[in-house]
Amino acid sequence: MADWEAVIGLEVHAQLDTRSKIFCACATDAAAPPNARTCPVCLGHPGALPVLNRGAVRLAIRAAKALGCDVAATSVFARKNYFYPDLPKGYQISQYEQPLATGGGVDIEPASGPRRIRLIRLHLEEDAGKLVHEGLPSSGKASHVDLNRAGTPLAEIVSEPDLRTAEEAYLYLQRLRTILRWTGVCDGNLEQGSLRCDANVSVRPRGAEAFGVRTELKNLNSFRNVQRAIEYEIARQVGVLESGGRLTQGTALWDADAGVSRPMRGKEEAQDYRYFPEPDLPPLLVDAATEAEASRELPELPAARKARFIAAFGLSPEDAHALTLERPVADFFEAAASAGGNARAAANFAIHDLARVQNAAKLPPDAVPIAASHLASLIGLVDSGAVSTSAARAIFDAMATSGRPPGDLVRDLGLAQISDEEVLKALLAGVVEAYPSEWKRLREGKLQLEEFFVGKVMRASKGSANPAVVRALVEAERAR
Ligand code: ADP
Ligand code: MG
Ligand code: ZN
């Protein structure tokens, strides 16, 4: 492998989060009963005319501005002609020679150092329907077509072949997904297909300029599969070349169960699609005011937020990255850190404890079931010594399930930390009485036994004693 370098470019289809389809008024509701969200336009009836959904255009422009693309003043819809049973018109309306946007990029930070992955283009197109091969009484004999998804608005985002490893492809897709979710363009669900990724993969001798012959991998429906499929394909291509074989350009389907890619068909050329301008839609004109408004509407983007978190709160790049994967989590952290003044603690809770709570309740990674003000109060209780860090964890979990403030929970759960020296002295006295020989050896200088007594007092207090105060007490009593 050391002799070879991979070259990877991703084509990502992002479902634009609109209520209705791109060229008709049908709802974008793929879960409705099969074919219940269809009309003459998305069923491809002859003579039915498409009307462009302004909301879809707005979201695509927003995505383009968030990705730093140049938005074209004029873009043109085109027909991409092919036959497939999920495509009732016999063509897909897409943009070809004049896409909505070009240029731009996504910044990633692999271990080898920060890099910008450039984009070729971002264009608008419609989704196809879905073939249903299983689960129906007649499935043994027939496949069925569900056109609820046909006409769903998509933005296709195509990267330059700037990626060099499967890890970089993963980071690129993760960052792109975050930007699309963060700006409300797309909900970014790979498993459910609202974000889909095809990976173009080739290899070349390390140091060579020219690109090798590429395979386009389809069906990468999870982050893990994107990485696995690319790694598999790189190894496969290197294997063929090293054994003196030749590669042919084509499309392959990733089989996640078998962990292999299977060739599907030879690569189509653009001419196979007989692209031509869509006669039923005028060119799409985007004026400067619309573009400026889209820029103004953008929130602070994840990369900027990450940089600010590092500068303002002294976070590590890793923690700042983790806190800017989901916007509600970034908001949660920032509000708690600003209110309480302990950013380190707020980051720990918002990364590790929040993930634990989300996993336990099977919540999505952007769900934050705790008020930031409650987290700030909880951190205040820890910092003042009123609760221990382990009790704080239990209180955090209870806040998530109950929505109640930490003060109430400390009382109800009996989790107040005991810092009162008189109370702790009494506990220590009891422990000393139970372990007289250990105490004698400690007093004679066997200092390792100090932790033994701290632990016993902690246990006697059911974990609620303040360990720092207990340790100080044990030291003082031993030396007396
Ligand atoms: P097509 O539309 O036929 O799929 P494009 O030229 O639009 O072809 O490229 C699609 C994707 O393939 C882009 O992401 C591009 O970066 C990538 N790509 C092009 N050539 C190569 C190559 N030799 N190896 C890997 N990726 C490539
Ligand atoms: Mg392609
Ligand atoms: Zn319709």
Side-chain angles (χ1 to χ4, degrees):
M1 283 303 302
D3 300 336
W4 299 92
E5 177 178 68
V7 171
I8 304 155
L10 297 191
E11 294 171 78
V12 171
H13 289 89
Q15 181 178 329
L16 299 168
D17 208 354
T18 56
R19 276 179 306 176
S20 57
K21 294 186 179 180
I22 186 167
F23 299 124
C24 62
C26 293
T28 51
D29 175 15
N35 299 303
R37 302 289 178 264
T38 54
C39 72
V41 173
C42 54
L43 289 173
H45 288 190
L49 293 174
V51 177
L52 181 58
N53 178 343
R54 181 184 289 270
V57 176
R58 225 188 56 223
L59 290 180
I61 295 173
R62 189 189 297 170
K65 297 312 288 183
L67 294 165
C69 308
D70 301 315
V71 175
T74 304
S75 61
V76 174
F77 287 96
R79 290 189 181 181
K80 179 178 181 178
N81 298 279
Y82 64 93
F83 171 77
Y84 205 66
D86 65 7
L87 187 74
K89 294 196 296 290
Y91 59 85
Q92 176 195 31
I93 303 180
S94 181
Q95 294 185 311
Y96 181 56
E97 279 177 335
Q98 287 179 262
L100 177 70
T102 53
V106 173
D107 294 312
I108 59 168
E109 289 176 47
S112 55
R115 294 188 44 215
R116 183 168 186 78
I117 307 306
R118 296 165 302 154
L119 299 180
I120 298 175
R121 59 194 274 147
L122 180 155
H123 70 246
L124 275 163
E125 63 183 35
E126 61 177 338
D127 206 346
K130 195 174 81 180
L131 294 187
V132 182
H133 302 292
E134 285 167 359
L136 289 160
S138 54
S139 284
K141 306 190 289 271
S143 288
H144 298 72
V145 186
D146 178 3
L147 294 172
N148 283 345
R149 215 181 60 186
T152 299
L154 303 176
E156 177 169 343
I157 302 162
V158 185
S159 84
E160 292 280 1
D162 284 351
L163 298 158
R164 293 292 172 266
T165 64
E167 189 218 356
E168 289 184 3
Y170 175 94
L171 292 172
Y172 166 84
L173 188 62
Q174 185 186 52
R175 209 19 135 187
L176 178 59
R177 175 176 182 271
T178 293
I179 292 168
L180 296 173
R181 281 168 64 77
W182 193 277
T183 50
V185 166
C186 167
D187 72 16
N189 193 320
L190 269 85
E191 283 78 9
Q192 284 169 22
S194 58
L195 193 72
R196 300 199 286 272
C197 173
D198 301 337
N200 292 270
V201 179
S202 65
V203 299
R204 61 183 174 188
R206 202 167 283 280
E209 284 264 341
F211 291 151
V213 174
R214 76 184 200 252
T215 300
E216 182 170 342
L217 295 169
K218 304 237 171 221
N219 198 32
L220 312 178
N221 56 4
S222 70
F223 277 97
R224 192 170 140 61
N225 279 325
V226 169
Q227 252 190 309
R228 281 174 71 210
I230 292 174
E231 272 159 14
Y232 173 89
E233 184 60 25
I234 293 171
R236 186 190 73 81
Q237 292 183 11
V238 168
V240 169
L241 295 174
E242 287 196 336
S243 61
R246 284 178 56 159
L247 297 165
T248 46
Q249 183 166 329
T251 305
L253 203 63
W254 172 247
D255 180 339
D257 293 331
V260 300
S261 63
R262 301 187 194 284
M264 268 185 8
R265 54 174 193 251
K267 176 75 189 165
E268 300 84 357
E269 300 294 337
Q271 70 223 24
D272 298 330
Y273 290 120
R274 281 194 314 117
Y275 281 100
F276 62 85
E278 167 60 61
D280 291 339
L281 287 165
L284 171 57
L285 307 181
V286 180
D287 59 22
T290 304
E291 207 185 329
E293 192 189 332
S295 298
R296 259 200 318 279
E297 279 176 7
L298 284 183
E300 183 185 24
L301 294 171
R305 195 117 189 238
K306 175 179 170 182
R308 190 165 59 75
F309 280 1
I310 294 170
F313 296 110
L315 298 185
S316 70
E318 292 73 27
D319 284 358
H321 179 81
L323 289 169
T324 50
L325 288 174
E326 301 287 348
R327 194 168 160 194
V329 175
D331 291 344
F332 177 57
F333 157 75
E334 183 164 8
S338 308
N342 184 345
R344 179 71 265 136
N348 277 334
F349 278 112
I351 297 170
H352 307 293
D353 299 274
L354 180 61
R356 182 184 62 248
V357 161
Q358 288 169 337
N359 288 338
K362 297 202 164 56
L363 295 172
D366 64 333
V368 181
I370 293 174
S373 60
H374 289 176
L375 175 57
S377 316
L378 177 62
I379 292 170
L381 292 172
V382 176
D383 289 348
S384 69
V387 299
S388 69
T389 47
S390 65
R393 231 165 277 140
I395 295 165
F396 187 89
D397 293 5
M399 291 198 302
T401 47
S402 70
R404 297 170 64 208
D408 291 6
L409 292 165
V410 171
R411 223 175 309 118
D412 293 3
L413 301 174
L415 287 171
Q417 179 162 266
I418 306 168
S419 299
D420 184 323
E421 291 206 11
E422 291 312 312
V423 176
L424 296 178
K425 251 185 204 166
L427 287 177
L428 175 58
V431 172
V432 168
E433 212 176 289
Y435 297 96
S437 66
E438 284 82 358
W439 183 250
K440 183 159 170 283
R441 276 158 55 214
L442 173 59
R443 284 182 50 91
E444 286 163 4
K446 191 158 169 49
L447 294 183
Q448 297 94 305
L449 281 168
E450 225 170 71
E451 278 313 304
F452 171 81
F453 281 95
V454 172
K456 290 293 175 197
V457 174
M458 290 305 296
R459 179 170 298 189
S461 74
K462 299 197 177 67
S464 57
N466 182 332
V469 178
V470 173
R471 192 164 293 113
L473 265 181
V474 172
E475 262 171 40
E477 290 295 309
R478 158 187 74 74
R480 240 158 41 116

